[in-house]
Amino acid sequence: MSTVNHTQEPLLRIAKRDGISRPKAYAIRVIAVVLALVVSGIFIFAVTKLNPIQVYEGIYKGAFGTSKRSWVTIRDTMMLLCIGVGLAPAFKMKFWNIGAEGQVLIGGVVTAGFMRAFGGSIPTPVLLVIMAAVSLLGGCLWGVIPAAFKAKWGTNETLFTLMMNYVAIQITSYCVAMWENPIGSNTVGVINQQTKAGWFPEVFGQTYGLNVILVLALTVGMYIYLKYSKQGYEITVVGDSENTARYAGISVKKVTIRTMAISGAICGLAGFIAVAGASHTISTSTAGGRGFTAIIVAWLAQFNTFVMILISLLLVFLQKGAIQIATQFNLNDYASNIITGIILFFILGSEFFINYRVILRGKKEGEAK
Amino acid sequence: METVAAVQLRNITKRFGKVVANDSVSLDINRGEVLSLLGENGSGKTTLMNMLAGIYFPDEGEILVNGKPVTIASPKDAFNYGIGMIHQHFKLVDVFTAAENIVLGLEDEGKLDLKAAAAKITAICEKYGFQVDPNKKIYDMSVSEKQTVEIVKVLYRGADILILDEPTAVLTPQETDRLFGVMRNMKADGKAMVIITHKLHEVMDVSDRVAVLRKGKYVGDVATKDTSPKALTDMMVGHAVTLNINRPDPKDPTPRLEVKDLTVYDAMGVKRLDNVTFTAMGGEILGIAGIAGSGQKELLESVAGLQPLSPGASIRYRPIGHPEDKDGVELVGKTPLQIKQAGVSLAFVPEDRLGMGLVGSLGMTGNMLLRSYRKGHGVFTDRKAPKQLAEEVLTELDVVTPGVNFPVRRLSGGNVQKVLVGREIAQEPSVLMTAYAVRGLDINTSYTIYNLLTEQKLKGVAVVYVGEDLDVLLELCDRILVLCGGQVSGIVDARTTTKEEVGLLMTRFKKEGEPA
């Protein structure tokens, strides 16, 4: 039967590492970032003949060039982080909640509705509390519906949460049409621009101070919830094995619904922050794809909410930088997107090298030829 | 006379992380011969054969087929050298027929000709004495038929070196005999065969030569006719093992679990348990014997509140030291949590350790928490007690782990089992149920487990031991309940019964009990 030619042993073999020390893992990540900068530097030079260092400077300036830019970067980081924190318990439970976009929108719509309706009649601090509460409820409802269907009838949560996004988008379009201001603009415009009723107040003289405080509190709270609370433990068990959960007397249905209520509620609150704390308006692009980007944030951080801060910051930083270099150097959007892509590719790729090692042919088994 | 062996393995070494699965193993496989590869669980038999089949690649050493050095980097390479492996877990497409499965993946030129394939399959079957209907769908087949399809599949591809990985584990004795008959026919045809097994009587029955592995090392090989089960056991474990399991007499056993009329249908509507009635006594070990899949899993899960039961079933629990509590507690209809809240201290070591008993991504501490995390009124879990328990289990059962927070998923099977058993016994149960508690454990650890179970029995716990090794069942248990096709075919006294009697009971109801 041996009619086949002598085959080579594979050139590269991949073996799982038995564990890696923390400094080594971070060294790999640092190398990845440096490599990413070098490769995108080569790309920049080859395609645009620009000095890569200047371009990198441009990226930095775009994100942190002025105090205002820094605050916008921080504001957007907090937004992304908040959604990521909301998604963390769902994904830790292996519930594929890709409906954050819709949950954020619903939170934003009810916030905007209350802001318009009660902007003058209820004092702002009270109104803020009410808006926070209704946005929590709205997001919660958007999270619980697919969870309840899954628990009761075993529906697929990925499709369900995705479709809930479209429902939320349609509701938002309807409200935007209803609240149009000025008529014909097809936007809601800035709500309560004169009175600033229902807007986040300045904290420590910073417009976005309250955003930071709220989101960081959620970040710390979620970390503690997932790591030290009984409910957090149940989420871990259900995410690991539903059979083990049943074995331990954990009601998988109850945990699924409860966790999605929390996840949806926090995403809804993100909508509240987006409307009351940042844009002061509502449109179908209020969530702006962050509901999906936040999935990357949650997974990359392995549901560690503190790591999420760094990842959200990195993503927003790259995005802001890309916009800046696009205008500054007259590059089109694609060029800056490629740079962002290269950097993300290397960072994600480094996780592979942290978990696996690659063995070259001939190494260690020279005689096996 | 000097003939070139079909396959020669030379100094094969394979490592998985720090674990050396095969340590410089050299082995010849000859044509016209059945070679038994013998060794305890975890001795590296399957790993070694997987390297021949192209599933793993050796770290060191070389493989020669017909005297020529070869590189087997994939199952396809293996097939090209005429090597075919029948795995423990069948790799068949359920909705396809036997013939479709057999031709699946073959890259023949031209049109797919299932008729010609069926004819060729029938020819192979006639030649060796298989019974396969090429047009039968896999989902309509019994385990033994599926296995036959797997064997025909490799023969169809022209394999003349066959590796069978524990083929008898899922078969009844009659089916095993039939398989061995076929193997003898193939041997007569000049095929080289390797059978991986740890059942000694099968080794004696079917093989011509026995090669023994122990802890990844090659111990040696002997001609079957020159050896005995005793000598093989010595080779396998390194020193003579008499199964001297300490079995004290039960001290005034009292009824603990009274199971009546337990009937269970699975999700597919197949009857898994059929009117099972028995009583588990506190203070004794009740063994449960049966061919794999006779309803053992369903039985234990029913008691644990994890199986939907057909109406009419009753499981009464009588707590320790409350004989006056005449009715006891009814467990049927209660969830696992309600059972626990009713004061039933139930310890359960399920068969699927990581899939059901443990949380793979957590460390030992996190897994100890599974039984106790509800303790205390606060919102937060108490980690001190579980951590202490984890450390106790670690030292008492010799768990090999880098630390109590190292994910248990990444521990070896034996250590995973120790974590699970350690936690369950620490609950101070009144009923302790174990499914294949020593599967994958080495001899010493197995004895540790036997002693732990006996200790529990002496404390008055009702121990239910589902086992597969009849010798152990006969020496460890007080009574043995034999399941056959979901029915209780007999409850015997372990001290007076014989292996033959239990073996017979295991197959008695086969005709009526077989799922349709």
Side-chain angles (χ1 to χ4, degrees):
Chain A
M1 280 309 289
S2 51
T3 51
V4 165
N5 292 337
H6 181 83
T7 31
Q8 285 278 335
E9 100 178 52
L11 176 64
L12 293 173
R13 286 190 297 120
I14 291 156
K16 199 154 170 78
R17 289 181 192 271
D18 336 312
I20 188 164
S21 66
R22 212 164 255 234
K24 212 173 161 192
Y26 279 102
I28 290 178
R29 291 194 181 103
V30 170
I31 292 169
V33 171
V34 172
L35 274 178
L37 292 178
V38 170
V39 171
S40 39
I42 293 169
F43 166 79
I44 293 163
F45 187 73
V47 175
T48 66
K49 303 284 181 275
L50 291 168
N51 180 354
I53 307 285
Q54 277 178 351
V55 173
Y56 290 147
E57 232 175 294
I59 292 178
Y60 179 80
K61 275 194 192 141
F64 295 115
T66 63
S67 145
K68 180 160 186 282
R69 277 183 191 163
S70 298
W71 272 105
V72 169
T73 301
I74 291 171
R75 179 195 76 192
D76 288 2
T77 302
M78 288 303 134
M79 203 40 219
L80 189 58
L81 176 62
C82 185
I83 305 170
V85 167
L87 288 179
F91 278 95
K92 187 154 194 189
M93 193 177 64
K94 303 272 156 67
F95 187 102
W96 295 81
N97 176 17
I98 57 172
E101 197 81 357
Q103 291 147 18
V104 172
L105 267 184
I106 283 298
V109 164
V110 293
T111 304
F114 272 76
M115 203 191 271
R116 284 183 82 258
F118 303 106
S121 48
I122 299 176
T124 292
V126 181
L127 182 57
L128 280 176
V129 173
I130 294 172
M131 290 192 304
V134 293
S135 68
L136 281 167
L137 274 176
C140 178
L141 182 71
W142 240 243
V144 163
I145 291 172
F149 272 80
K150 179 176 185 175
K152 270 255 178 323
W153 293 290
T155 53
N156 179 312
E157 78 268 22
T158 318
L159 287 173
F160 209 127
T161 49
L162 185 66
M163 291 191 289
M164 290 294 283
N165 286 342
Y166 296 105
V167 178
I169 289 173
Q170 293 306 323
I171 292 175
T172 311
S173 314
Y174 178 77
C175 291
V176 169
M178 200 167 53
W179 299 335
E180 206 178 38
N181 177 33
I183 304 288
S185 67
N186 204 21
T187 62
V188 176
V190 177
I191 303 166
N192 301 342
Q193 193 156 21
Q194 263 73 50
T195 58
K196 296 196 176 177
W199 291 26
F200 275 20
E202 286 192 355
V203 177
F204 311 124
Q206 297 300 339
T207 321
Y208 303 122
L210 192 57
N211 303 37
V212 176
I213 293 168
L214 272 178
V215 176
L216 287 185
L218 277 174
T219 306
V220 175
M222 183 54 73
Y223 183 84
I224 295 170
Y225 176 75
L226 286 178
K227 199 145 189 216
Y228 298 107
S229 79
K230 290 176 182 176
Q231 296 190 358
Y233 182 75
E234 290 180 337
I235 291 173
T236 310
V237 177
V238 171
D240 200 284
S241 158
E242 289 190 8
N243 271 332
T244 301
R246 295 197 310 129
Y247 163 93
I250 297 171
S251 163
V252 176
K253 290 176 185 181
K254 195 175 115 191
V255 174
T256 304
I257 294 174
R258 183 182 69 205
T259 307
M260 270 311 289
I262 294 170
S263 176
I266 295 176
C267 291
L269 191 75
F272 159 72
I273 295 173
V275 172
S279 69
H280 310 118
T281 183
I282 182 75
S283 76
T284 48
S285 59
T286 294
R290 291 191 191 92
F292 298 109
T293 313
I295 298 173
I296 305 176
V297 174
W299 272 104
L300 261 188
Q302 296 284 306
F303 317 119
N304 180 327
T305 56
F306 290 120
V307 178
M308 283 184 203
I309 303 177
L310 284 177
I311 293 170
S312 312
L313 182 63
L314 175 78
L315 290 176
V316 172
F317 170 80
L318 286 174
Q319 184 202 349
K320 297 284 167 208
I323 296 168
Q324 169 71 13
I325 56 171
T327 48
Q328 185 180 341
F329 299 99
N330 261 330
L331 298 174
N332 67 20
D333 278 357
Y334 301 118
S336 42
N337 281 339
I338 287 173
I339 297 169
T340 312
I342 291 172
I343 293 174
L344 278 180
F345 180 81
F346 274 85
I347 290 171
L348 293 175
S350 72
E351 297 302 313
F352 173 82
F353 288 97
I354 286 166
N355 287 311
Y356 296 90
R357 61 203 166 87
V358 175
I359 305 160
L360 269 169
R361 179 198 302 165
K363 217 175 167 187
K364 257 182 160 181
E365 60 273 315
E367 73 274 23
K369 266 213 156 163
Chain B
M1 60 174 216
E2 186 70 23
T3 52
V4 178
V7 176
Q8 292 163 281
L9 300 171
R10 293 282 169 266
N11 302 316
I12 298 286
T13 297
K14 179 74 191 171
R15 297 183 197 86
F16 294 107
K18 285 183 197 106
V19 182
V20 184
N22 288 131
D23 189 358
S24 196
V25 175
S26 298
L27 179 69
D28 286 359
I29 302 168
N30 298 318
R31 293 189 189 284
E33 184 184 79
V34 175
L35 173 72
S36 279
L37 196 55
L38 187 65
E40 290 186 77
N41 282 327
S43 58
K45 301 170 302 228
T46 304
T47 306
L48 187 65
M49 289 302 117
N50 275 340
M51 282 188 276
L52 264 186
I55 297 189
Y56 296 142
F57 194 81
D59 290 332
E60 283 166 32
E62 61 176 350
I63 300 171
L64 292 84
V65 175
N66 298 320
K68 273 179 257 158
V70 297
T71 305
I72 302 173
S74 71
K76 210 172 159 226
D77 288 353
F79 266 122
N80 288 330
Y81 294 117
I83 301 169
M85 184 158 171
I86 291 96
H87 295 273
Q88 247 173 308
H89 303 285
F90 305 141
K91 296 163 186 353
L92 297 170
V93 182
D94 258 2
V95 294
F96 279 6
T97 63
E100 285 167 335
N101 265 287
I102 287 165
V103 298
L104 188 71
L106 283 177
E107 290 165 8
D108 282 339
E109 294 290 314
K111 225 177 99 205
L112 175 65
D113 188 354
L114 274 175
K115 269 206 188 116
K120 194 173 162 194
I121 291 164
T122 314
I124 292 173
C125 291
E126 273 167 19
K127 187 169 174 192
Y128 298 112
F130 292 110
Q131 288 158 1
V132 172
D133 174 2
N135 298 316
K136 197 170 176 182
K137 302 260 192 204
I138 298 298
Y139 59 73
D140 282 333
M141 291 187 172
S142 72
V143 179
S144 143
E145 283 176 289
K146 288 181 194 169
Q147 187 179 58
T148 311
V149 174
E150 285 279 13
I151 299 173
V152 173
K153 186 161 92 181
V154 301
L155 290 174
Y156 187 92
R157 278 148 213 245
D160 51 6
I161 301 158
L162 277 86
I163 304 161
L164 296 111
D165 190 359
E166 299 202 25
T168 60
V170 291
L171 300 183
T172 62
Q174 291 87 339
E175 289 167 341
T176 304
D177 284 344
R178 209 179 308 146
L179 173 70
F180 287 176
V182 168
M183 285 176 70
R184 290 192 191 96
N185 292 342
M186 290 196 282
K187 180 172 84 180
D189 194 42
K191 305 234 182 264
M193 264 171 291
V194 182
I195 172 169
I196 301 177
T197 180
H198 41 225
K199 294 182 186 163
L200 289 174
H201 64 273
E202 294 176 1
V203 171
M204 301 306 293
D205 192 7
V206 77
S207 65
D208 304 292
R209 203 156 54 89
V210 189
V212 182
L213 287 180
R214 188 200 309 152
K215 290 183 179 160
K217 288 202 176 79
Y218 183 62
V219 179
D221 66 330
V222 287
T224 311
K225 60 177 177 358
D226 302 334
T227 188
S228 67
K230 173 89 173 55
L232 287 175
T233 313
D234 287 354
M235 281 175 84
M236 213 162 87
V237 297
H239 54 88
V241 172
T242 41
L243 273 182
N244 258 326
I245 301 171
N246 175 31
R247 176 167 56 184
D249 284 332
K251 278 187 289 189
D252 60 291
T254 49
R256 177 69 35 79
L257 274 181
E258 289 171 3
V259 176
K260 271 201 194 82
D261 300 330
L262 205 59
T263 300
V264 168
Y265 289 89
D266 67 9
M268 312 292 291
V270 177
K271 205 183 236 187
R272 289 295 175 189
L273 283 181
D274 190 359
N275 268 310
V276 169
T277 297
F278 68 94
T279 302
M281 311 284 258
E284 69 161 25
I285 299 183
L286 175 69
I288 295 186
I291 296 163
S294 299
Q296 295 95 323
K297 176 172 171 268
E298 288 78 10
L299 178 57
L300 298 193
E301 289 185 5
S302 300
V303 176
L306 295 167
Q307 277 283 349
L309 305 175
S310 292
S314 157
I315 303 170
R316 290 236 169 250
Y317 166 82
R318 294 172 195 282
I320 295 186
H322 293 283
E324 72 277 6
D325 195 349
K326 258 181 81 182
D327 288 338
V329 185
E330 178 61 55
L331 302 189
V332 172
K334 287 194 166 65
T335 64
L337 187 60
Q338 286 167 335
I339 290 175
K340 192 175 173 161
Q341 283 161 348
V344 181
S345 180
L346 189 71
F348 179 24
V349 178
E351 179 181 354
D352 184 1
R353 295 150 196 185
L354 285 172
M356 182 172 253
L358 294 169
V359 189
S361 59
L362 293 177
M364 284 180 72
T365 307
N367 274 291
M368 297 301 149
L369 201 54
L370 193 65
R371 285 293 192 194
S372 61
Y373 81 95
R374 287 190 187 85
K375 274 187 193 145
H377 292 292
V379 177
F380 297 108
T381 51
D382 167 28
R383 282 177 187 257
K384 267 191 217 128
K387 183 157 187 282
Q388 207 179 347
L389 177 60
E391 274 156 5
E392 277 171 34
V393 170
L394 189 136
T395 44
E396 273 171 32
L397 292 179
D398 259 335
V399 180
V400 181
T401 169
V404 288
N405 290 320
F406 189 76
V408 294
R409 177 173 290 138
R410 293 173 63 183
L411 301 179
S412 75
N415 285 309
V416 167
Q417 179 72 342
K418 287 181 194 173
V419 174
L420 180 53
V421 172
R423 182 191 71 204
E424 290 305 294
I425 287 179
Q427 288 191 75
E428 304 199 336
S430 53
V431 176
L432 170 60
M433 302 190 293
T434 64
Y436 309 109
V438 297
R439 191 185 270 178
L441 298 187
D442 59 47
I443 292 270
N444 281 330
T445 323
S446 299
Y447 274 81
T448 311
I449 302 282
Y450 301 147
N451 289 336
L452 280 172
L453 296 182
T454 304
E455 231 172 70
Q456 294 298 310
K457 157 180 143 182
L458 291 179
K459 280 187 187 165
V461 175
V463 181
V464 178
Y465 177 88
V466 173
E468 47 198 344
D469 187 333
L470 288 186
D471 295 312
V472 174
L473 280 163
L474 287 175
E475 287 204 30
L476 172 71
C477 304
D478 299 298
R479 287 185 306 146
I480 299 175
L481 180 153
V482 188
L483 279 177
C484 176
Q487 294 178 323
V488 178
S489 56
I491 299 179
V492 293
D493 182 347
R495 286 182 177 73
T496 55
T497 188
T498 60
K499 222 170 152 178
E500 287 69 31
E501 188 187 5
V502 176
L504 212 62
L505 286 169
M506 280 165 65
T507 55
R508 175 173 291 175
F509 287 109
K510 198 66 203 170
K511 278 289 159 283
E512 306 97 298
E514 211 164 30

